[in-house]
Amino acid sequence: MELSEPSLRHIISEHVILPLSDLLTGQCVYKCLQFLKKSALWSESRIEEFQNERLRIIIRHVSRNVPYYRDFFAENHLRAEDICTRNDLEKLPIVSKELIRKEGVERFVSENIGGIKKIKAKKEYLDILSLPDSLFKHIIENF
């Protein structure tokens, strides 16, 4: 299948309207689109490298800012640097509804967010807790 040249309408939409829309709405759709176009060409090893980079950022964040994980890391003598790849994730506990109920929602919400974001994060956890156990288990197993 031969790719055709993008139409003038497509070029204007992508390179003028979309960036302007992002400026007006505070979103980053154009940036995400550019990233997706670029990353679609990545090799398997580059994808894995990117995933590991993002994982390290997330682990560093939760180990410092989420009470449950900060305590877990301290109690188990782990450092953020000990979790570098998806294979290292087995060092972390699987978070279940029961664990969230036992520990309390606040222990799983980052301390460095505030206001509406914190309320939304707590609401999302409470929404998860209201899921039927079978659906929750299915989501976790297939994630």
Side-chain angles (χ1 to χ4, degrees), residues 2 7 13 18-19 24 33 36 41 50 71 75 79 82 88-89 91 105 112 119-120 123 134 137-138:
E2 204 173 299
S7 68
S13 293
L18 194 53
L24 294 172
L33 177 63
L36 289 172
L41 305 173
F50 175 77
D71 294 347
E75 290 165 7
R79 298 172 305 131
D82 296 330
D88 296 328
L89 289 174
K91 298 174 186 174
V105 171
N112 70 340
I119 291 168
K120 285 182 180 178
K123 183 188 178 313
S134 58
K137 185 177 180 185
H138 175 78

Side-chain angles (χ1 to χ4, degrees), residues 80-93:
E81 297 78 26
D82 296 330
I83 312 292
C84 297
T85 69
R86 67 175 170 224
N87 293 332
D88 296 328
L89 289 174
E90 65 188 26
K91 298 174 186 174
L92 301 177

Side-chain angles (χ1 to χ4, degrees), residues 19-44:
L20 284 174
S21 173
D22 283 354
L23 277 174
L24 294 172
T25 62
Q27 295 182 352
C28 62
V29 177
Y30 179 74
K31 184 179 175 183
C32 290
L33 177 63
Q34 297 308 310
F35 171 78
L36 289 172
K37 284 181 173 183
K38 183 174 66 171
S39 64
L41 305 173
W42 287 354
S43 67
E44 203 171 308

Side-chain angles (χ1 to χ4, degrees), residues 66-111:
V66 177
Y68 175 79
Y69 286 104
R70 186 176 50 233
D71 294 347
F72 180 85
F73 274 72
E75 290 165 7
N76 292 279
H77 308 289
L78 284 172
R79 298 172 305 131
E81 297 78 26
D82 296 330
I83 312 292
C84 297
T85 69
R86 67 175 170 224
N87 293 332
D88 296 328
L89 289 174
E90 65 188 26
K91 298 174 186 174
L92 301 177
I94 295 174
V95 176
S96 65
K97 287 170 58 171
E98 292 75 26
L99 181 62
I100 296 170
R101 285 185 181 121
K102 177 183 165 212
E103 295 285 334
V105 171
E106 284 78 16
R107 301 233 336 115
F108 293 91
V109 177
S110 181
E111 292 175 335

Side-chain angles (χ1 to χ4, degrees), residues 3 7 10 12 46 48 51 57 60-61 78 83 86 88 94 107 117 137:
L3 294 177
S7 68
H10 175 83
I12 291 171
R46 176 62 185 113
E48 188 174 334
Q51 290 172 337
I57 291 168
R60 189 169 40 252
H61 171 79
L78 284 172
I83 312 292
R86 67 175 170 224
D88 296 328
I94 295 174
R107 301 233 336 115
K117 285 185 178 182
K137 185 177 180 185

Side-chain angles (χ1 to χ4, degrees), residues 8-19:
L8 181 58
R9 180 180 187 183
H10 175 83
I11 292 169
I12 291 171
S13 293
E14 184 176 329
H15 297 285
V16 177
I17 295 173
L18 194 53

